Amino acid sequence: QVQLVESGGGLVQPGGSLRLSCAASGSSICFKAAGWYRQAPGKQRGLVAGMAGGGSLNYADSVKGRFTISRDNGKNTVYLQMNSLKPEDTAVYYCHQVFNWRDFWGQGTQVTVSS
């Protein structure tokens, strides 16, 4: 069974940066894809950044040029570097990873952008 543990959320001022981490634990797991999603109060959960197993990346238009998704294969960890944060980036961020063609979700981490 794979478990995902997220970390790195918090309170940051507009224009600041945060890096979210999503560490996967488990044995004999084959990585297929990953993504970061977010859900603001009263809104649906939506994709922020995605990574396919072949390395292709995609981003929501609202975060292009500001957010970067990456992965450390040796650590089985996916990251989301968030720069130039805006108040509208405030949400709970969820990590999603696909191993052995099964979906796994992190517990969510709150990101609040406010002065």
Side-chain angles (χ1 to χ4, degrees):
Q1 183 70 9
V2 175
Q3 288 190 325
L4 303 183
V5 178
E6 298 182 34
S7 61
L11 173 65
V12 64
Q13 292 187 341
S17 298
L18 283 175
R19 189 177 79 157
L20 306 183
S21 300
C22 176
S25 63
S27 59
S28 301
I29 56 177
C30 181
F31 174 78
K32 295 300 182 183
W36 287 95
Y37 292 73
R38 68 185 180 188
Q39 186 169 19
K43 296 187 177 181
Q44 289 188 332
R45 188 179 300 187
L47 179 68
V48 174
M51 168 186 290
S56 62
L57 308 177
N58 64 289
Y59 296 93
D61 287 343
S62 59
V63 306
K64 282 181 181 177
R66 300 188 298 122
F67 290 12
T68 303
I69 186 172
S70 62
R71 185 173 188 267
D72 184 326
N73 294 331
K75 295 182 179 179
N76 265 339
T77 299
V78 175
Y79 303 96
L80 184 67
Q81 178 67 43
M82 305 184 293
N83 299 327
S84 302
L85 282 160
K86 304 175 181 180
E88 51 263 43
D89 294 318
T90 295
V92 178
Y93 284 71
Y94 295 91
C95 171
H96 170 251
Q97 295 196 49
V98 181
F99 290 97
N100 302 338
W101 300 115
R102 293 181 61 193
D103 294 284
F104 299 92
W105 289 88
Q107 80 277 14
T109 186
Q110 177 70 45
V111 171
T112 302
V113 184
S114 175
S115 54

